[in-house]
Amino acid sequence: MKNGSDVKGSVLRIERTSIHDGPGLRTVLFLKGCPLRCRWCSTPESQRSDPEKGYARERCIGCGVCVRSCPEGALSFSADRQKVCTDSSKCQKCFLCVAKCPQRAMKQYGSFMSVAEVVREITKDEIFFFHSGGGVTISGGEPLNQPDFTSEVLRECKERGIHTAIETALHAPWKSIEKVLPWLDVLFVDIKHMDQRNHKEWVGTGNSLIHDNIRRIDQSKYPVEIIVRIPLIPGINDSNANLLAVGEFCKSIHKLKEIELLPYHRLGVETYKNLEVDYRLKDMEPPSLERIMDRANLLSKCNMSVPVRIGGGFTGKLPDHKVKDEESSRKVGG
Amino acid sequence: MSKIENEPKYMDRVHRLKNRVLGTRPEMDLENARILTESFKETEGEPLVVRKAKAFRKQCVEKTVKIWDDELIIGSSGSKMRAGILNAETCWSVLDDELETISERRYDPFYLKSEERRIFEEEIRPYWKGRSNYEEWLAQIPDDTRELRDNGVIYIDRKAVRGWGETTAGYQWLISEGVLGIVKAVKKRRAELDLTVPGDYEKDYYLKSLLIVAEGMISLAERYAEEADRLASTEKDSQRKKELLEIAGICRHVPANPARTFREALQSLYFYQISVFMEQNAASYNPGRMDQYLWPYYKSDIESGRIAVEEVQELLDCLWVKFSEPCLFQDATTAEFAAGYPMFQNVCVGGVDDAGRDAVNDLSYMIIQATMDVQLYQPSLSVRYSLAKNPNSFLRKVVELVSLGTGFPAFHNDDVGIRMLMNKGIPLREAYNWNPCGCVETNLEGRLRHYTALADINLGSMVEFGLLDGKSRKSGKYVSARTGSPEEFETYDDFVAAVKEHIQYATRAVVKANHVIDEVGMNRPVPALSFTFKECIEKAKDYAWGGAKYNTGNGIILIGVADLINSMAAVRHVVFDTKQATMAELLDALDRDFEGYEEIQKLCTDAPKYGNDDQVVDDIAGDMFTFIADEIEKYSSKFGRMTPGILPVSGNTPFGLEVGALPSGRKAWKPLADGVSPSGGTDFNGPSSVLKSVANIPHGRFVQGTLLNMKVEPAMLSTENGITQMMALLKSMCSLGVYHVQFNVIDQQKLIRAQKNPDEYRGLLVRVAGYTAYFVELGKDVQDDIIGRTIQHGISPIANRH
């Protein structure tokens, strides 16, 4: 392993001043690469490990700047000149076409950054962390897919007194998890489905490794706070049976601080198009507010000692005047 | 504006008062111009200041006196509710130029009735032709200044087309001593004079003019008392009859005598407010720190049980509606630079007291509540927030007001405000007592004289000149220094040197004109305003002549901050650092407004931009604005060192019309960026990045204030967590040393709808770079500018993608 800040990570993007990913104002570091393939994933550009290119066809005016500028000759117009095609066998991912495209139809998803570069970005908001109790949240993709990088970033932040969190699915070997735990204040973990077969069907892997990891972290010596997140996907994991099973499972987690429901949304639809990936849930409607409230109430009936919240900056069909996202007053349980 | 259920009973009255103001069309009101003219005919040969005082007294004695239904606080400068007053002696010809268009003009129209037009044409114009301050100015404006003005490089007519304003009179002194108490001080000073001593004659007639003004104010109040009695005698409703009799009693006591109660203090204040406005139509007569100087009256009334807290709130709310009645009259161009009938009566709460301790009290909260209750465009509510001293509960109240989306309050970092006053030469002890003025400028009650915003300099033009050897792209004329062909620039520093030379050129032109304005201003004494400046009495010297305790040079305002920074960054990045295009290619692209040069436009728009916490570009901000502050501070007027500020009001839009395409990627003739805010749509990293970038400007040196607009989606402010984070954001902003921020919380869709259906959105408030106005009363391009400003996406609900 390389040492300290020389380690490079595959970074999707860095977003600052988030209020949805842990306490306070936070800088969220999105990493690329994920072992899961949740069908509802709203960040398809985070799934593959390496930087990749997207193409927003409807923005393209067919000016041909990209075709002319490609040093590998990997780009060409389709026969009807309606779109630009990239020959992936030739493309060297120099992203010159992205830099040149006057319409911003060509997009670059992700780049390699060193720990030092990333930490420099994170520390820019130290004064905001100080006043808000915020910090850094490493998200993805799957941060544990790059355990050395993630752990180095967290360590560098922790040494600067910055509050740390990761958002993970915990589908990772224990030795990866062990690398980050010493530097971690809060761990957000998704529980997507309690049923093994359904999990495999919708997420692409089984769930026993995930559950084992949660239990192991809970029993470990590290005083990390665990927040369980449940993506609420209509018709897939929002049944009474599944939610009650999640509730039952959560009861056994001693370090659990909160459960957050993340209602399904469709903000990623465009990105699927740009990546020319088929989005199989494209006709799914986000759950109604009534449904979300009803599901939250159901969970809260599990007699857990922690609050159930609706989180994640929900943008679904909430009535204008009534309730917005993350209302702290909406602590249904506890 | 929909109101929540269970709102207090007093809100019924507030809604009635408010709806009446909203339903009233602004009108020209020439009554007091007519009375002034008659008075001047009667006083030929007397000293100017005495003639002014006598005209003021005659206005007080003869003007129409009206008390509107339901009012508790009463009084108007004019004869109409939403009146535009003409200062004939200052600028009669402004109306003359716009007689045909004033009723329907694009910005701030005033309905001109044929009756009023007759008064103007038959009585006012014939007398004043050739005698006004505005005509003096036009005759004396230096040639190079005129050329820059005519090419939209500077805007400098503002002070000649309206009165002084931009000041904070001694309200506290007036309320506590009463007019008669101050009269005593005037008489005492007058008794010390010896008319055989040279100079004492001038002092004598000056002090006499103050006594004449005092007589006017007292008789005006008496006339309101009589009107209240008259109305009471025929009033059927017993409750209203009682109110009218109370009003009569109060008007018989104040402003003549010291206020005894909270209500008398408010009425005394408002009488004085209409008096100074009557004397000189101008923006920005600032009531200032009302939570401080009204506190003793509030405290003693509450403690003695004379008044209930709800009654105090009702009175404040009633006063707030009064503040929204008058409408600033100015010429069409000036209105374009500051649209929305901008009275800028700036009320301030919070901050520290004269020992530097927490000054927040119950009234601070109630004054914020008044703005939340009334939601009209006046008064301009400012907060002085002391990070170290003010409590979180106060900050929370501030955020609750922000969340209403009215654009209020203007949030000021107290430490930087204090620093600005000190940088104006005011000792710390007094600087603690500063108050925001007008838009975001800085003032000191009853002690400080200057124009806070004398002239605006177009920074977009400075870039353009640097690239065109001093030529205006629009007019094709060489109007600035000749700095050579940019193709000869060997380094980025050569370009910087050229831009700096143009800034120097424009600054010199403004300073020269400043001296002319100062000279013309000597013929514009204001005895009613000077009446509450202690040192004006002590020195027997008018405010206009430098009688105030502190006098500084006037404010020079910079517009197009982000355009300057981004353009310089783009030239450096594209032409010199990465050499992606040559200077010649860039110049061609700019000349064609990027048409056919889309690749170069992309290089320009992709160059580093201010507002993203990118040190490469933010360093330019620090360097250039240190240079600009140095440059302006190099000059003094006869009153003191010149003072820089960055507050565009809406001037970024008309200035933009004068500037061709810029290296920042901005297309020709589009609005410039406002204040110290990033250019619309060029900040992508959320609010913390904006604040970090903005912090690179040395705010404390721009002593007339720096203005930052940030637009937020309602989501940030509609949740408990959002509110908490907003508080943290504001604290962080203070830690960073940014001076001011205001938030526009209205969503774009609503604005677009309002633009299409103005009738449905008559009450919709929006903040236009520094003040709040009715959105539907603004011009379309100002509306478009607001709509185009970047939404701070970091606090939008889409930050989380799983």
Side-chain angles (χ1 to χ4, degrees):
Chain A
M1 181 189 111
K2 284 194 241 176
N3 215 340
S5 50
D6 293 339
V7 180
K8 289 244 179 194
S10 181
V11 174
L12 177 58
R13 64 177 160 257
I14 299 176
E15 289 194 5
R16 294 163 64 176
T17 348
S18 167
I19 62 171
H20 302 301
D21 303 275
L25 297 166
R26 302 192 77 82
T27 295
V28 185
L29 169 65
F30 292 90
L31 301 185
K32 261 176 84 59
C34 184
L36 310 185
R37 287 294 180 270
C38 307
R39 299 248 199 108
W40 53 82
C41 179
S42 64
T43 324
E45 75 277 26
S46 73
Q47 292 176 354
R48 278 172 256 175
S49 290
D50 289 342
E52 58 194 309
K53 200 176 78 175
Y55 171 58
R57 191 175 167 180
E58 65 285 355
R59 292 189 69 102
C60 177
I61 53 167
C63 68
V65 168
C66 55
V67 175
R68 289 195 297 276
S69 65
C70 179
E72 312 298 330
L75 299 184
S76 59
F77 280 110
S78 60
D80 56 3
R81 270 190 82 92
Q82 290 302 298
K83 61 182 267 196
V84 172
C85 306
T86 303
D87 181 344
S88 54
S89 67
K90 288 186 188 165
C91 175
Q92 296 296 309
K93 293 191 177 168
C94 69
F95 298 111
L96 194 61
C97 52
V98 176
K100 291 276 182 186
C101 175
Q103 294 297 309
R104 296 187 173 75
M106 293 283 176
K107 296 176 186 300
Q108 179 178 348
Y109 296 118
S111 58
F112 288 106
M113 290 176 82
S114 71
V115 171
E117 284 171 313
V118 164
V119 170
R120 197 177 308 131
E121 280 301 304
I122 293 167
T123 54
K124 282 180 171 179
D125 274 358
E126 279 174 343
I127 194 71
F128 297 87
F129 303 156
F130 170 78
H131 284 294
S132 67
V136 65
T137 299
I138 306 184
S139 184
E142 171 55 68
L144 295 175
N145 232 31
Q146 304 179 51
D148 293 330
F149 181 74
T150 297
S151 134
E152 274 304 299
V153 171
L154 291 173
R155 186 180 63 78
E156 293 270 352
C157 289
K158 212 61 230 161
E159 284 175 354
R160 289 165 170 80
I162 296 171
H163 182 276
T164 57
I166 62 169
E167 293 172 342
T168 171
L170 286 182
H171 186 82
W174 180 250
K175 65 174 174 25
S176 299
I177 297 170
E178 253 187 327
K179 281 185 181 157
V180 304
L181 282 179
W183 317 112
L184 204 55
D185 293 311
V186 173
L187 183 140
F188 289 88
V189 57
D190 273 18
I191 295 186
K192 300 167 200 283
H193 213 297
M194 289 303 288
D195 177 71
Q196 187 71 251
R197 261 195 20 229
N198 269 308
H199 201 275
K200 202 153 186 137
E201 159 79 13
W202 294 105
V203 175
T205 69
N207 60 14
S208 42
L209 175 62
I210 294 169
H211 294 180
D212 288 349
N213 282 333
I214 294 176
R215 288 194 197 94
R216 242 174 124 173
I217 294 167
D218 200 37
Q219 283 151 21
S220 75
K221 62 178 181 181
Y222 300 107
V224 59
E225 294 181 356
I226 297 175
I227 296 176
V228 164
R229 282 177 156 176
I230 308 167
L232 200 63
I233 317 298
I236 293 179
N237 69 353
D238 65 341
S239 68
N240 286 6
N242 186 52
L243 289 178
L244 290 172
V246 176
E248 209 47 43
F249 178 77
C250 285
K251 271 200 227 174
S252 66
I253 311 174
H254 300 95
K255 291 173 179 164
L256 186 70
K257 284 287 172 288
E258 202 167 86
I259 296 179
E260 271 186 27
L261 284 181
L262 303 184
Y264 168 75
H265 63 75
R266 300 155 44 103
L267 297 168
V269 169
E270 286 305 309
T271 322
Y272 278 94
K273 280 195 217 154
N274 295 347
L275 290 168
E276 299 180 311
V277 171
D278 185 31
Y279 182 44
R280 288 154 75 188
L281 299 189
K282 58 176 164 290
D283 296 325
M284 181 178 284
E285 287 288 319
S288 68
L289 174 68
E290 291 70 27
R291 178 67 176 169
I292 298 166
M293 293 298 290
D294 178 68
R295 298 291 84 188
N297 280 320
L298 177 80
L299 257 180
S300 68
K301 284 188 191 128
C302 296
N303 283 327
M304 283 172 298
S305 55
V306 300
V308 177
R309 304 194 324 132
I310 297 163
F314 176 66
T315 54
K317 294 174 182 170
L318 292 178
D320 240 15
H321 56 285
K322 254 178 112 181
V323 197
K324 296 274 159 71
D325 58 309
E326 284 198 340
E327 214 142 2
S328 74
S329 55
R330 176 130 22 84
K331 288 185 177 176
V332 190
Chain B
M1 218 124 325
S2 62
K3 272 285 152 191
I4 29 161
E5 295 162 39
N6 304 324
E7 65 178 14
K9 190 83 181 69
Y10 65 80
M11 286 302 292
D12 293 348
R13 183 199 306 269
V14 175
H15 288 313
R16 288 196 300 272
L17 296 178
K18 176 184 164 179
N19 287 335
R20 188 168 58 205
V21 169
L22 282 175
T24 305
R25 182 180 180 184
E27 269 187 67
M28 280 314 293
D29 187 344
L30 294 176
E31 183 185 70
N32 64 0
R34 174 182 59 75
I35 299 172
L36 174 110
T37 307
E38 287 166 9
S39 177
F40 264 72
K41 287 177 183 166
E42 293 160 13
T43 58
E44 298 278 357
E46 297 186 46
L48 177 62
V49 67
V50 175
R51 299 179 76 191
K52 290 269 307 225
K54 286 186 173 173
F56 174 81
R57 183 176 63 189
K58 190 176 169 77
Q59 287 169 335
C60 290
V61 172
E62 295 182 10
K63 80 179 280 293
T64 304
V65 158
K66 278 188 181 156
I67 294 172
W68 323 113
D69 282 348
D70 265 343
E71 287 190 313
L72 295 180
I73 305 295
I74 56 103
S76 307
S77 305
S79 62
K80 297 165 182 174
M81 181 176 284
R82 295 197 75 193
I85 288 175
L86 176 72
N87 285 141
E89 83 285 13
T90 301
C91 55
W92 66 274
S93 61
V94 169
L95 182 57
D96 197 45
D97 295 340
E98 299 188 31
L99 276 177
E100 306 301 333
T101 51
I102 187 78
S103 295
E104 302 292 338
R105 70 183 190 188
R106 188 172 183 193
Y107 294 95
D108 299 0
F110 285 91
Y111 184 57
L112 179 67
K113 284 188 174 145
S114 54
E115 156 78 11
E116 303 273 338
R117 181 171 177 158
R118 190 196 60 72
I119 292 173
F120 179 78
E121 289 178 326
E122 293 177 10
E123 302 181 41
I124 295 169
R125 180 167 61 193
Y127 182 79
W128 289 105
K129 198 164 173 47
R131 303 190 194 201
S132 69
N133 300 133
Y134 186 39
E135 289 157 291
E136 289 179 85
W137 157 247
L138 292 178
Q140 296 177 48
I141 177 170
D143 288 341
D144 48 355
T145 313
R146 187 197 310 273
E147 185 150 48
L148 289 184
R149 181 197 66 177
D150 293 347
N151 282 279
V153 181
I154 59 176
Y155 178 67
I156 195 163
D157 284 353
R158 181 161 39 221
K159 300 313 154 194
V161 296
R162 58 190 204 205
W164 284 98
E166 301 176 5
T167 186
T168 305
Y171 297 93
Q172 177 166 15
W173 197 35
L174 182 98
I175 293 169
S176 64
E177 297 298 318
V179 171
L180 292 173
I182 297 177
V183 162
K184 256 187 221 159
V186 176
K187 285 183 173 165
K188 181 165 169 281
R189 182 71 187 96
R190 203 173 175 206
E192 293 163 6
L193 300 176
D194 177 347
L195 292 179
T196 65
V197 173
D200 274 18
Y201 166 66
E202 292 88 332
K203 289 178 180 169
D204 184 66
Y205 72 65
Y206 181 70
L207 294 172
K208 186 173 94 178
S209 75
L210 295 184
L211 296 177
I212 294 167
V213 159
E215 285 172 17
M217 287 192 272
I218 290 171
S219 49
L220 180 61
E222 173 56 31
R223 295 182 63 218
Y224 272 103
E226 285 163 14
E227 173 67 3
D229 276 339
R230 189 188 70 77
L231 290 171
S233 69
T234 58
E235 177 61 55
K236 301 280 192 307
D237 181 278
S238 63
Q239 176 60 27
R240 183 60 186 160
K241 190 186 184 88
K242 187 165 157 272
E243 287 170 6
L244 285 163
L245 292 173
E246 274 176 302
I247 289 169
I250 289 167
C251 294
R252 292 214 159 83
H253 190 77
V254 293
N257 300 291
R260 295 164 301 189
T261 64
F262 182 77
R263 181 164 171 185
E264 285 182 355
L266 287 190
Q267 185 61 62
S268 192
L269 179 160
Y270 198 67
F271 265 132
Y272 191 51
Q273 187 71 358
I274 63 171
S275 296
V276 293
F277 188 63
M278 201 159 81
E279 178 178 63
Q280 284 246 298
N281 163 64
S284 181
Y285 290 110
N286 311 285
R289 304 192 75 187
M290 285 178 66
D291 60 341
Q292 304 305 301
Y293 61 76
L294 291 175
W295 175 246
Y297 303 95
Y298 171 82
K299 189 162 173 280
S300 95
D301 275 12
I302 293 287
E303 280 173 4
S304 66
R306 265 195 298 273
I307 198 167
V309 171
E310 287 222 332
E311 291 174 87
V312 171
Q313 192 67 60
E314 180 175 30
L315 287 169
L316 283 171
D317 289 11
C318 287
L319 175 62
W320 258 226
V321 177
K322 292 300 282 183
F323 278 132
S324 287
E325 286 180 359
C327 295
L328 183 72
F329 168 69
Q330 46 192 0
D331 66 291
T333 306
T334 311
E336 204 176 337
F337 275 78
Y341 309 103
M343 290 295 294
F344 287 115
Q345 302 158 99
N346 201 316
V347 170
C348 146
V349 292
V352 296
D353 69 8
D354 56 11
R357 295 167 296 200
D358 176 24
V360 168
N361 60 37
D362 291 354
L363 270 179
S364 317
Y365 294 84
M366 294 175 77
I367 285 173
I368 294 177
Q369 186 61 45
T371 296
M372 295 174 78
D373 283 346
V374 177
Q375 297 193 27
L376 283 169
Y377 86 127
Q378 285 288 294
S380 302
L381 187 74
S382 287
V383 165
R384 280 178 55 178
Y385 176 66
S386 169
L387 173 63
K389 303 293 173 74
N390 291 160
N392 274 2
S393 59
F394 176 67
L395 185 57
R396 189 188 162 103
K397 184 79 182 175
V398 169
V399 172
E400 283 171 7
L401 172 55
V402 169
S403 72
L404 291 183
T406 61
F408 289 130
F411 182 87
H412 295 77
N413 180 350
D414 205 33
D415 292 331
V416 179
I418 291 168
R419 209 173 297 155
M420 286 175 176
L421 265 277
M422 293 183 70
N423 205 14
K424 283 183 180 178
I426 288 152
L428 178 58
R429 190 186 189 289
E430 291 176 83
Y432 277 141
N433 201 32
W434 77 284
N435 63 283
C437 153
C439 180
V440 294
E441 303 100 292
T442 56
N443 255 202
L444 189 62
E445 191 209 37
R447 276 163 286 177
L448 178 59
R449 172 239 172 260
H450 52 22
Y451 281 126
T452 57
L454 171 88
D456 306 334
I457 294 179
N458 186 338
L459 294 176
S461 298
M462 302 300 110
V463 175
E464 186 168 286
F465 293 162
L467 293 170
L468 290 177
D469 191 15
K471 187 173 76 174
S472 157
R473 192 181 297 284
K474 188 174 178 182
S475 71
K477 290 185 193 152
Y478 288 90
V479 295
S480 185
R482 299 299 296 266
T483 44
S485 162
E487 290 175 60
E488 317 270 300
F489 297 159
E490 286 175 9
T491 63
Y492 167 68
D493 289 342
D494 292 343
F495 172 61
V496 174
V499 171
K500 285 183 173 175
E501 196 173 332
H502 294 292
I503 291 171
Q504 286 171 320
Y505 185 90
T507 305
R508 287 179 61 84
V510 167
V511 170
K512 282 192 252 175
N514 171 78
H515 299 336
V516 176
I517 296 258
D518 277 347
E519 194 57 24
V520 171
M522 300 303 277
N523 301 329
R524 187 194 258 178
V526 273
L529 174 68
S530 306
F531 188 70
T532 54
F533 282 71
K534 283 182 187 167
E535 284 74 13
C536 286
I537 294 170
E538 188 51 41
K539 300 179 201 165
K541 194 173 179 184
D542 195 82
Y543 179 89
W545 307 332
K549 183 172 186 182
Y550 301 108
N551 291 275
T552 81
N554 297 320
I556 299 178
I557 304 308
L558 294 316
I559 293 183
V561 168
D563 303 279
L564 174 76
I565 299 167
N566 289 341
S567 292
M568 299 191 71
V571 168
R572 181 163 87 180
H573 182 76
V574 174
V575 177
F576 293 104
D577 287 355
T578 64
K579 299 185 168 47
Q580 290 166 295
T582 64
M583 184 63 92
E585 288 168 330
L586 175 65
L587 293 173
D588 282 345
L590 295 177
D591 200 43
R592 305 278 158 76
D593 196 14
F594 299 113
E595 297 299 326
Y597 290 83
E598 283 72 20
E599 287 184 54
I600 290 186
Q601 185 180 16
K602 177 161 164 63
L603 293 175
C604 288
T605 50
D606 285 355
K609 292 282 181 281
Y610 170 74
N612 295 288
D613 197 7
D614 179 339
Q615 206 54 49
V616 172
V617 51
D618 292 347
D619 278 345
I620 296 175
D623 293 345
M624 287 308 292
F625 284 88
T626 294
F627 167 79
I628 290 172
D630 287 346
E631 191 55 29
I632 291 173
E633 286 178 357
K634 259 171 38 186
Y635 298 98
S636 290
S637 73
K638 62 180 157 191
F639 295 110
R641 202 170 62 177
M642 302 305 290
T643 47
I646 305 174
L647 47 125
V649 188
S650 53
N652 55 314
T653 301
F655 264 173
L657 293 172
E658 307 292 338
V659 182
L662 289 175
S664 59
R666 169 195 158 281
K667 299 269 283 176
W669 333 125
K670 298 288 180 198
L672 301 178
D674 66 78
V676 294
S677 320
S679 293
T682 65
D683 55 307
F684 302 105
N685 290 337
S688 67
S689 304
V690 171
L691 291 170
K692 288 285 299 294
S693 278
V694 169
N696 283 275
I697 287 170
H699 292 265
R701 298 193 63 193
F702 287 81
V703 295
Q704 301 298 12
T706 55
L707 181 146
L708 172 61
N709 267 303
M710 287 171 82
K711 192 147 72 179
V712 278
E713 288 182 52
M716 176 71 168
L717 298 156
S718 58
T719 68
E720 263 309 312
N721 182 36
I723 287 170
T724 309
Q725 301 321 327
M726 191 74 181
M727 288 164 65
L729 195 75
L730 290 168
K731 288 184 178 188
S732 308
M733 169 217 144
C734 291
S735 291
L736 288 167
V738 173
Y739 167 66
H740 159 275
V741 68
Q742 64 202 10
F743 294 97
N744 189 336
V745 199
I746 297 156
D747 66 274
Q748 292 179 314
Q749 288 311 311
K750 196 200 249 173
L751 293 177
I752 292 165
R753 282 201 301 273
Q755 201 175 38
K756 287 181 184 150
N757 311 302
D759 284 348
E760 293 169 35
Y761 290 88
R762 211 173 42 171
L764 178 66
L765 285 171
V766 81
R767 194 89 172 172
V768 187
Y771 66 100
T772 296
Y774 303 121
F775 182 81
V776 300
E777 290 181 353
L778 301 171
K780 181 166 184 301
D781 44 1
V782 175
Q783 289 178 345
D784 287 343
D785 179 28
I786 296 164
I787 293 169
R789 250 178 243 149
T790 307
I791 291 179
Q792 296 306 328
H793 66 278
I795 41 188
S796 82
I798 57 166
N800 195 10
R801 301 187 181 91
H802 284 274

